[in-house]
Amino acid sequence: MNNVNAIAVLAYRDLMKFLRDKPRLISTFIFPFIFIVALGGSLQAGFGSDIGYNFMTFTFTGVFAQTLFQSSTMGIISIMDDRDNDFSQEIFVSPISRYAIVFGKILGESLVALAQGIGILAFAAVIGVPISLPQMLIMIPIGIAICLVGGSFGLIIISNLANRRLADQIFPFVMLPQFFLAGVFSPIKRLPIYLDVLSHISPMRYAVDLTRSLFYTGQPEYPKVVLDGVFINLIVMSAMFALFLVLGTYFFVRNERNR
Amino acid sequence: MISDAVQEVKYQVPSLDVTTRTQPIIEVENLVKRYRKADRNAVDGVSFKVMPGEMFALLGPNGAGKTTTISILTTTLAATAGRVKIAGYDAETQSSAVRQNVGIIFQNPSLDMNLTGEENVRFHAILYGLYGFRPTYSTMPREYREQILKLAEILELDKDIFKPVRTFSGGMRRKLEIIRSLMHRPRVLFLDEPTTGLDAQSRITLWQYLRRVREEAEITICLTTHYLEEAEEADRICIINMGKVVAYGTPVEVKANLIDEYLVIDAEDRKQLRGELESREIHFTEIPQFRIGLNGITVHQILKSIETPLTHVQTHLPSLEDAYLAIIGSGDDE
């Protein structure tokens, strides 16, 4: 019970921090805007109907998954932010389970990412991405699943890093390639074998594909945009979440104390 | 085992009268910490005991190993060797019980600047399992609201507790941290250089608050500092340098053990004075004045026994600062 309260308060704190940080609020919506409108719109204009589906919608579904995944991954870095200077010290000396700390953090960053996701949905509806109400509603549980995987992915990455500066340097290298390998705004149906292998080990691939497999259910474009289908995506994501969470927490706590 | 016994004897200090019948609340035995990739031990065989209700100061220059020691005592860092017991619990194997029984104020403020003072305290209370999660102050139980207001009043922060921490001064932030650390009624309060970065006035008032808090909350206080005048206020001090204990005891004992009190006298007729001192069997050294150790003999007794007219009389009573500098100076290569 104590751990449940601790998880709740940790998550609540992250959400409060986000909502009170106005510059961060604004900046989180700028990138999705650039990707969906500028990139999706220009590709749509360039390739037109040759590709057989609406490129703006394709990019929107990809960017939705990518934003949530990346936001929760990056949010986890703030757990290292910092061992010397912040509330983290206070959290680490409290008598709660280390798993509760890590899980509360992932949950909190997931809430933050979800708030961004809802913003993207509203924004997409306004600029005229064709989206129905059921499609909008199914995006919420998808978003939660993506955030949990993204958060645990962030954890396993930082669990073996010594400090925040190192984390900031490494993250572009683990995030940016996934933009392309996961097919956020580029079709990856046909890839050379080496890229296909890399794509299959990119966690973001499954987040993006889960989004599209549910978004496009019953649509004529489904076979053209979906790779693995709902079932496989969910299994892979659950396995990754469990593995990353357990291993990540173990390494993180061990490295935290054995300095 | 033999080395254990030696340590025991070495640091056996006559207990303060209030604590003779009780068990130590902090026991540190041969604590060693070597950081990964370090070529020397940051803490190198440190042992000490703290009795319940004491104000204990860990004193030493920067880099002596104070923060490392406190991190191990508060379970945020694993020791390389040695044993630590806090309130009867082992810091290595019972870390959760230790955490429940200690409050910690870190060297750098560990407050969340985005939250108000009260929110920082509330989050702490929930993390320590005192109350269930509630999103606002007004939905928290009455007991919580009374406790925080009472503490805020003691520390004179009652007007500002609901303001964002960002707007607090350094002294106010320290006070808020004290309030927060006392919410779960810890038995030991650790403070790592609590007065660093505070102006002289805030430093003095912080000490007054700590004394009040110690009385009202019946708590043991263990703090680190590199300010001597602060350590002199403590019941017992432990001076560490280069990871080793170099002095341990009450400020009076440390002073007495480390530097002799002595009397310096001189006369125009030094030959006569020398003869007189020798005939009275008073030991002295000539520097070239006569320096007489005051071990078991008072200034009055010495002066009374001398008939040679004296031109110079000076007693030397060491301050803790003298003792400290003597110790630190001997091993300091900075």
Side-chain angles (χ1 to χ4, degrees):
Chain A
M1 194 57 211
N2 186 12
N3 280 328
V4 174
N5 280 315
I7 289 169
V9 79
L10 289 171
Y12 180 75
R13 169 176 165 261
D14 274 336
L15 187 62
M16 277 298 113
K17 262 180 98 154
F18 172 67
L19 294 178
R20 286 179 194 174
D21 192 347
K22 289 197 179 65
R24 189 172 159 209
L25 266 176
I26 294 165
S27 71
T28 46
F29 294 112
I30 289 180
F31 273 102
F33 172 81
I34 292 172
F35 286 146
I36 298 170
V37 177
L39 190 67
S42 65
L43 288 176
Q44 173 69 18
F47 295 112
S49 50
D50 294 350
I51 201 155
Y53 49 86
N54 183 321
F55 218 87
M56 188 104 100
T57 313
F58 180 83
T59 313
F60 156 71
T61 48
V63 168
F64 175 83
Q66 169 263 325
T67 303
L68 266 61
F69 187 92
Q70 184 175 338
S71 172
S72 42
T73 303
M74 303 290 274
I76 294 300
I77 307 186
S78 66
I79 205 170
M80 317 174 78
D81 188 31
D82 157 351
R83 291 166 175 134
D84 307 321
N85 254 321
D86 194 64
F87 199 72
S88 310
Q89 295 183 99
E90 155 81 3
I91 297 170
F92 278 103
V93 294
S94 66
I96 57 171
S97 142
R98 311 292 94 171
Y99 286 90
I101 294 176
V102 167
F103 191 71
K105 190 76 203 169
I106 290 176
L107 200 65
E109 292 306 330
S110 299
L111 285 176
V112 169
L114 268 183
Q116 296 172 9
I118 289 168
I120 295 172
L121 284 180
F123 168 74
V126 169
I127 60 163
V129 172
I131 179 169
S132 69
L133 188 65
Q135 279 175 322
M136 225 179 228
L137 292 177
I138 193 73
M139 295 297 246
I140 306 272
I142 298 173
I144 295 171
I146 292 173
C147 291
L148 293 178
V149 177
S152 62
F153 177 67
L155 178 68
I156 193 102
I157 300 286
I158 64 155
S159 63
N160 284 301
L161 298 180
N163 57 49
R164 169 81 197 237
R165 207 165 52 85
L166 201 56
D168 283 337
Q169 284 167 348
I170 282 180
F171 264 82
F173 294 101
V174 295
M175 296 311 291
L176 199 59
Q178 295 198 66
F179 280 40
F180 307 106
L181 295 170
V184 171
F185 26 60
S186 52
I188 52 165
K189 272 257 164 190
R190 263 170 257 114
L191 284 178
I193 182 76
Y194 66 99
L195 284 181
D196 199 40
V197 170
L198 287 175
S199 170
H200 275 88
I201 59 169
S202 300
M204 203 192 276
R205 170 197 169 104
Y206 302 96
V208 171
D209 199 46
L210 178 74
T211 310
R212 293 203 179 119
S213 59
L214 284 162
F215 186 89
Y216 285 104
T217 298
Q219 309 274 328
E221 302 97 324
Y222 185 92
K224 290 183 189 139
V225 291
V226 175
L227 305 164
D228 303 318
V230 178
F231 194 62
I232 290 176
N233 285 319
L234 276 178
I235 287 177
V236 175
M237 285 169 74
S238 311
M240 284 193 297
F241 174 66
L243 188 71
F244 292 166
L245 184 66
V246 172
L247 283 183
T249 310
Y250 172 76
F251 285 125
F252 184 74
V253 171
R254 199 193 57 173
N255 291 333
E256 188 68 25
R257 291 196 73 230
N258 296 327
R259 274 177 280 150
Chain B
M1 273 300 108
I2 291 168
S3 68
D4 281 5
V6 171
Q7 293 278 6
E8 262 325 288
V9 173
K10 196 168 158 195
Y11 299 124
Q12 201 60 257
V13 180
S15 299
L16 304 175
D17 17 352
V18 279
T19 58
T20 38
R21 286 178 301 275
T22 40
Q23 288 290 313
I25 193 148
I26 301 175
E27 278 183 274
V28 178
E29 270 179 40
N30 285 320
L31 186 65
V32 176
K33 175 66 189 180
R34 184 183 289 234
Y35 285 101
R36 278 195 281 178
K37 292 174 191 158
D39 53 4
R40 71 173 186 94
N41 294 339
V43 173
D44 195 7
V46 165
S47 304
F48 59 83
K49 282 177 185 165
V50 182
M51 290 297 171
E54 271 188 344
M55 175 106 64
F56 182 85
L58 209 52
L59 178 65
N62 293 329
K66 302 185 298 288
T67 299
T68 304
T69 304
I70 256 199
S71 302
I72 296 169
L73 264 54
T74 54
T75 77
T76 52
L77 191 64
T80 309
R83 201 170 68 100
V84 174
K85 272 192 140 183
I86 311 281
Y89 300 104
D90 188 294
E92 183 70 35
T93 57
Q94 297 167 299
S95 56
S96 190
V98 170
R99 289 194 189 109
Q100 195 74 53
N101 280 289
V102 303
I104 304 140
I105 294 171
F106 300 95
Q107 201 163 339
N108 299 315
S110 63
L111 297 164
D112 192 326
M113 297 295 156
N114 296 295
L115 305 176
T116 68
E118 185 274 326
E119 283 172 325
N120 269 284
V121 178
R122 188 184 343 135
F123 283 18
H124 175 94
I126 296 167
L127 278 182
Y128 277 73
L130 305 176
Y131 305 99
F133 171 70
R134 303 275 186 288
T136 60
Y137 171 72
S138 51
T139 53
M140 287 297 282
R142 178 192 293 272
E143 196 193 336
Y144 163 82
R145 286 180 283 156
E146 283 172 359
Q147 196 189 355
I148 187 174
L149 290 181
K150 185 179 166 232
L151 283 170
E153 201 188 310
I154 293 175
L155 289 152
E156 294 171 11
L157 208 60
D158 39 342
K159 286 184 207 70
D160 303 298
I161 193 93
F162 295 103
K163 291 181 184 162
V165 176
R166 200 184 297 284
T167 64
F168 283 25
S169 70
M172 287 161 73
R173 287 178 191 175
R174 276 293 180 221
K175 288 199 273 184
L176 180 65
E177 289 191 293
I178 295 176
I179 294 177
R180 186 176 69 177
S181 65
L182 293 174
M183 288 301 284
H184 62 286
R185 303 183 204 283
R187 296 178 60 196
V188 187
L189 181 61
F190 288 96
L191 301 101
D192 193 7
E193 302 200 358
T195 54
T196 304
L198 297 187
D199 58 48
Q201 183 60 40
S202 312
R203 202 181 291 171
I204 292 163
T205 50
L206 185 70
W207 269 89
Q208 290 167 350
Y209 291 130
L210 283 179
R211 280 194 211 96
R212 261 186 91 175
V213 157
R214 183 171 66 148
E215 277 158 33
E216 303 225 356
E218 292 172 359
I219 204 171
T220 307
I221 292 182
C222 175
L223 57 86
T224 69
T225 180
H226 53 242
Y227 294 114
L228 272 149
E229 58 272 30
E230 289 187 0
E232 214 152 354
E233 301 273 341
D235 298 323
R236 224 188 279 210
I237 58 177
C238 179
I239 303 182
I240 59 174
N241 192 28
M242 314 279 283
K244 288 188 192 306
V245 175
V246 284
Y248 174 74
T250 65
V252 174
E253 285 166 345
V254 168
K255 275 194 254 188
N257 291 342
L258 288 165
I259 290 188
D260 297 328
E261 291 180 33
Y262 56 88
L263 175 70
V264 178
I265 55 175
D266 204 4
E268 290 216 358
D269 190 346
R270 284 189 176 158
K271 199 178 160 200
Q272 191 193 336
L273 182 57
R274 190 180 302 124
E276 200 170 21
L277 289 173
E278 279 166 356
S279 68
R280 302 268 190 291
E281 293 183 343
I282 297 170
H283 297 285
F284 61 89
T285 45
E286 289 185 55
I287 53 167
Q289 298 106 317
F290 296 79
R291 178 172 154 168
I292 303 163
L294 290 170
N295 298 328
I297 183 165
T298 66
V299 176
H300 182 77
Q301 285 169 323
I302 295 167
L303 293 181
K304 220 175 104 186
S305 64
I306 295 170
E307 281 169 15
T308 313
L310 297 174
T311 55
H312 179 87
V313 175
Q314 190 192 4
T315 53
H316 181 87
L317 295 167
S319 67
L320 190 56
E321 181 143 14
D322 294 323
Y324 182 56
L325 290 175
I327 296 162
I328 302 308
S330 64
D332 197 8
D333 48 4
E334 279 170 318

